[in-house]
Amino acid sequence: MNTEEKHKDFSVLICDDHAILLEGLKVCLMRIPGVKEVKISSTMRHAMDQLKAAPETALCIVDLDLPDGSGIDLITYAKQLYPDIRTLVYTSHEEIWNINAVMHSGTDAVVFKSCEPSELRYAVESVMSGDTYFCKRFQQLVRHIEMHIPDSSEHLTSQEKNVLCQLARGLRANEIADALHVSVNTINTHKAHLLSKFNATNTTELIIKAFVKGVVELKI
């Protein structure tokens, strides 16, 4: 899906077990241009049911700690159900194990609850335009825990670096293939090499690790 084809009007689902926060987030999100509907849920199971019943949901905002499960599991479910859905982690958890879990989750954005409301708004606008977004604090934590990543960036080919930059912009394999005038199989091969070189399990982790090494830039 090209960035020009991203949702102009879109529906959002928020899953958090704090009732007051949910209502506040709903009000905040409804002020963002393009948001036409905001559904709320306080449990993972209810959120799963809402997602299944509403395929038009374009963005799912989740906390990590839910009464009946993990926000990571909800992200996995959402991505499996609707591969094009965008996800945003909105949490106060900064523990190393949670940061690692988020890195492996494949989420499109991370904003901590300590951030200003304007940053959450910017994150929503960014991911819905096809970009990824990781708040400055999350990037600092990632930089700290990924200090010992092998310096694979020195061994990247120019084409691999090009593909990596396009992935960081939120483009999919077919979009990158069109832009570079090569086959999708070629792009997937480059992506596989990148994942291997950075010891990453998915695109999100790849982009974050590449940021840590200064190979790509992420919005802050």
Side-chain angles (χ1 to χ4, degrees), residues 68-203:
D68 56 344
S70 165
I72 300 298
D73 293 333
L74 181 55
I75 289 172
T76 300
Y77 176 83
K79 293 283 190 180
Q80 289 176 344
L81 193 63
Y82 307 121
D84 288 334
I85 196 171
R86 308 295 280 174
T87 59
L88 185 156
V89 172
Y90 187 61
T91 187
S92 58
H93 291 285
E94 299 185 7
E95 301 86 355
I96 290 177
W97 53 90
N98 280 315
I99 300 302
N100 278 324
V102 171
M103 286 175 60
H104 286 80
S105 70
T107 191
D108 302 294
V110 180
V111 178
F112 286 124
K113 292 179 179 178
S114 57
C115 295
E116 293 294 327
S118 59
E119 186 159 14
L120 175 62
R121 172 177 175 148
Y122 185 75
V124 170
E125 293 174 340
S126 294
V127 297
M128 293 313 299
S129 67
D131 293 327
T132 52
Y133 185 92
F134 305 101
C135 69
K136 187 173 182 179
R137 175 59 179 161
F138 180 74
Q139 294 184 22
Q140 291 171 338
L141 291 170
V142 169
R143 183 181 284 111
H144 175 73
I145 65 177
E146 293 290 350
M147 288 175 60
H148 304 295
I149 299 174
D151 195 359
S152 304
S153 59
E154 294 181 358
H155 308 290
L156 297 182
T157 67
S158 58
Q159 193 74 323
E160 286 172 344
K161 289 181 180 179
N162 200 352
V163 170
L164 182 57
C165 289
Q166 300 302 318
L167 289 171
R169 290 178 54 206
L171 299 184
R172 299 184 181 278
N174 63 313
E175 296 172 328
I176 300 173
D178 289 343
L180 300 183
H181 307 292
V182 297
S183 69
V184 174
N185 284 339
T186 296
I187 298 302
N188 285 333
T189 298
H190 286 314
K191 182 177 177 181
H193 290 163
L194 288 166
L195 290 170
S196 176
K197 289 182 177 182
F198 281 89
N199 192 27
T201 57
N202 57 48
T203 303

Side-chain angles (χ1 to χ4, degrees), residues 198-213:
F198 281 89
N199 192 27
T201 57
N202 57 48
T203 303
T204 297
E205 186 180 4
L206 169 64
I207 293 170
I208 293 173
K209 287 185 173 182
F211 159 77
V212 171
K213 286 301 180 182

Side-chain angles (χ1 to χ4, degrees), residues 24-35 38 121 125:
L25 278 177
K26 182 175 182 179
V27 171
C28 178
L29 291 170
M30 286 302 298
R31 294 174 178 169
I32 298 177
V35 175
V38 177
R121 172 177 175 148
E125 293 174 340

